[in-house]
């Protein structure tokens, strides 16, 4: 393998999100959810504000590798302003993309998330990419129960 | 110095990973298996497989001889006084859990202290957290010096007359620190505490003599020294093991059974409920034979030369943080500045170099190091200077790659 394959994994747009994360920080009100990847120690804390079924604000903090933090940055960016339903659809789309399944964007606004497509060729790193999305699903779940 | 030349004994190592020759530097997680071990396990299943200690047929006797013969091999290997002090288990974790359940629950009570160190692997931490929860005992930790060692001064400040048990790793799986077990055991015994040693990272690399260490329990895994996964050892002094109740009940470990009660076998079988790990024990005995034929003095010299070589090369690179003391056992834990260890490991893997990245089952130690994760290269009998060169080349590539994208 050469840098070509690594370039597939670490595309410029991923590195940009890693180095200049969007929506990094905390929110005073809203819900907070922390999730970690127990096999490697990556940790992500999500802050969501959901009003009338819409994600009106999303921020994250965390420690982790380039893939997990870039994914969190892209996730918060793309779900902000979306309905809860759309956010969950995006999560399903992302999960299918990681598993190499056929995906249909079905009118979804994908933002930068397709840049992470290369991760599917690195099975050991899929968990890094899905951490923030799993946290988002759980946050929405908790909001439903509240 | 001339290194050992045994790579060709390990068939797995002869393969391409991502179009590069495999460089396996993750032996502290699990070691590769020599052909003789693979053959011994395969031959056992081809010619001798039967259940042990039951029935009178010839195969049953052969399997029993192989299994009990393996126990003799282990007895001599770690210099135990008697083979009844050797209990076969699933591995180090299982061995420590037997002591925690059986000795801990029976002999540790509220107000007692259990002393550990800050460098313990989760397998020698969580079982004692659970004992503390069940019994009301307190956990205390021998603190680490800046270089990741412990001193006898700290040991003496931590172990008291209230201490019932000291559980300590022989060699740290992250720092490579070799702990002064003999001195700790002697001090703990003076205060009436028993000592359990986690030998998972020591036994593959050095000649261990439990009688000289005078520890009360010693736990290790087969897979880290070239045996199959799923076989491990708990050594315990017979006087203690005799006082301890079995943890698993069922077949194999019983003496007389009625519908409402049972009596149990003597040592070591009372701790080996169910059909034992026969093929695993056969593989373990062969792996021990293999290492002893090479000789542990040669193995230690080989690993020291490799570690020193890698250390000197690493120190020539800019932006590498190395963790642990100067004197270390066969591994180097490190981070590249501004590169997460996952990313380092992925780049190395793309060049065929396998290292570990993560918290190494030592989350409290990661906190002590003030990092969330690290990368680790660990060496074994089959590694070469060329492996180290390829590892260093890979690191240069990782630095270049991540330097470029930033």
């Amino acid at each position: 393998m050469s840098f070509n394959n690594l370039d597939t994994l670490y595309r410029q747009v991923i590195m940009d999100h890693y180095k200049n994360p969007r929506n990094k920080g905390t929110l005073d009100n809203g819900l907070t959810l922390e999730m970690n990847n127990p096999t490697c120690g990556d940790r992500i804390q999500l802050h969501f504000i959901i009003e009338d079924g819409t994600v009106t604000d999303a921020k994250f903090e965390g420690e982790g590798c380039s893939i997990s933090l870039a994914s969190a940055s892209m996730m918060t960016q793309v779900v902000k302003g979306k309905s809860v339903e759309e956010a969950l659809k995006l999560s399903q789309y992302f999960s299918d993309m990681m598993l190499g399944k056929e995906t249909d964007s079905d009118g979804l606004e994908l933002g930068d998330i397709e840049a992470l497509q290369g991760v599917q060729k690195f099975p050991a790193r899929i968990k890094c990419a899905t951490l923030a999305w799993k946290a988002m699903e759980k946050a929405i779940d908790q909001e439903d129960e509240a | 110095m001339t290194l050992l030349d045994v790579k060709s004994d390990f068939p797995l190592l002869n393969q391409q990973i991502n179009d590069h020759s495999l460089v396996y530097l993750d032996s502290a997680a699990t070691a590769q298996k020599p052909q003789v071990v693979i053959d011994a396990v395969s031959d056992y299943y081809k010619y001798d497989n039967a259940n042990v200690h039951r029935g009178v047929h010839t195969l049953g006797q052969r399997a029993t001889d192989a299994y009990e013969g393996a126990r003799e091999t282990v007895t001599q290997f770690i210099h135990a006084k008697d083979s009844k002090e050797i209990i076969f288990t699933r591995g180090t974790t299982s061995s420590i859990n037997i002591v925690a359940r059986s000795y801990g629950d029976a002999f540790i009570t509220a107000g007692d202290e259990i002393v550990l160190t800050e460098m313990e692997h989760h397998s020698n931490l969580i079982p004692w957290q659970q004992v503390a929860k069940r019994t009301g005992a307190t956990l205390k930790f021998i603190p680490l010096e800046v270089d990741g060692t412990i001193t006898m001064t700290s040991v003496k400040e931590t172990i008291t007359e209230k201490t019932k048990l000291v559980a300590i790793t022989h060699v740290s799986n992250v720092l490579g620190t070799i702990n002064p077990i003999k001195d700790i055991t002697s001090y703990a015994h003076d205060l009436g505490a028993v000592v359990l040693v986690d030998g998972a990272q020591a036994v593959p690399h050095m000649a261990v003599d439990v009688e000289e260490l005078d520890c009360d329990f010693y736990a290790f895994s087969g897979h880290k020294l070239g045996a199959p996964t799923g076989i491990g050892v708990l050594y315990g002094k017979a006087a203690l093991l005799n006082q301890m109740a079995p943890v698993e009940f069922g077949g194999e470990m019983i003496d007389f059974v009625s519908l409402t009660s049972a009596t149990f076998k003597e040592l070591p079988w009372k701790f080996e409920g169910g059909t034992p790990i026969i093929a695993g024990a056969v593989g373990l005995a062969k792996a021990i034979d293999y290492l002893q034929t090479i000789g542990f003095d040669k193995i230690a010299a080989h690993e020291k030369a490799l570690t020193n070589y890698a250390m000197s090369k690493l120190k020539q690179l800019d932006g590498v943080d190395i963790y642990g003391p100067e004197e270390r056992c066969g591994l180097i834990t490190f981070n590249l500045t501004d590169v997460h260890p996952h990313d380092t490991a992925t780049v190395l893997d793309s060049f065929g170099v396998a290292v570990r990245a993560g918290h190494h089952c030592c989350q409290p130690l990661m906190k002590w190091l003030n990092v969330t994760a690290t990368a680790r290269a660990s060496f074994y009998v089959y590694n070469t200077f060329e492996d180290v060169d390829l590892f260093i080349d890979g690191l240069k590539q990782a630095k270049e790659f991540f330097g470029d994208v930033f």
Side-chain angles (χ1 to χ4, degrees), chain A residues 1 3 6-7 9-10 12 15 18-19 38-42 63-67 122 125 128, chain B residues 18-20 338 340 342-343 346-347 350-351 356 358-359 363 372-373 397 400-402 405-406:
Chain A
M1 200 183 275
F3 275 176
L6 288 173
D7 285 335
L9 178 64
Y10 297 112
Q12 204 69 36
M15 286 301 142
Y18 178 45
K19 222 188 157 200
T39 58
C40 65
D42 280 6
E63 289 152 343
C65 62
S66 56
I67 302 297
F122 295 78
R125 304 302 296 277
C128 310
Chain B
N18 298 322
D19 302 327
H20 291 77
D338 294 332
H340 191 280
H342 282 175
D343 296 322
T346 292
V347 175
S350 73
F351 292 97
R356 175 81 185 265
H359 55 56
Q363 291 183 25
T372 51
Q397 302 276 10
E400 187 191 327
F401 186 79
F402 280 91
V405 291
F406 283 162

Side-chain angles (χ1 to χ4, degrees), chain A residues 60-88:
Chain A
F60 81 98
E61 289 180 299
E63 289 152 343
C65 62
S66 56
I67 302 297
S68 69
L69 296 183
S71 182
S73 170
M74 292 173 183
M75 186 277 289
T76 52
Q77 196 178 36
V78 75
V79 302
K80 215 191 311 191
K82 299 279 194 312
S83 70
V84 164
E85 204 188 2
E86 280 174 302
L88 291 174

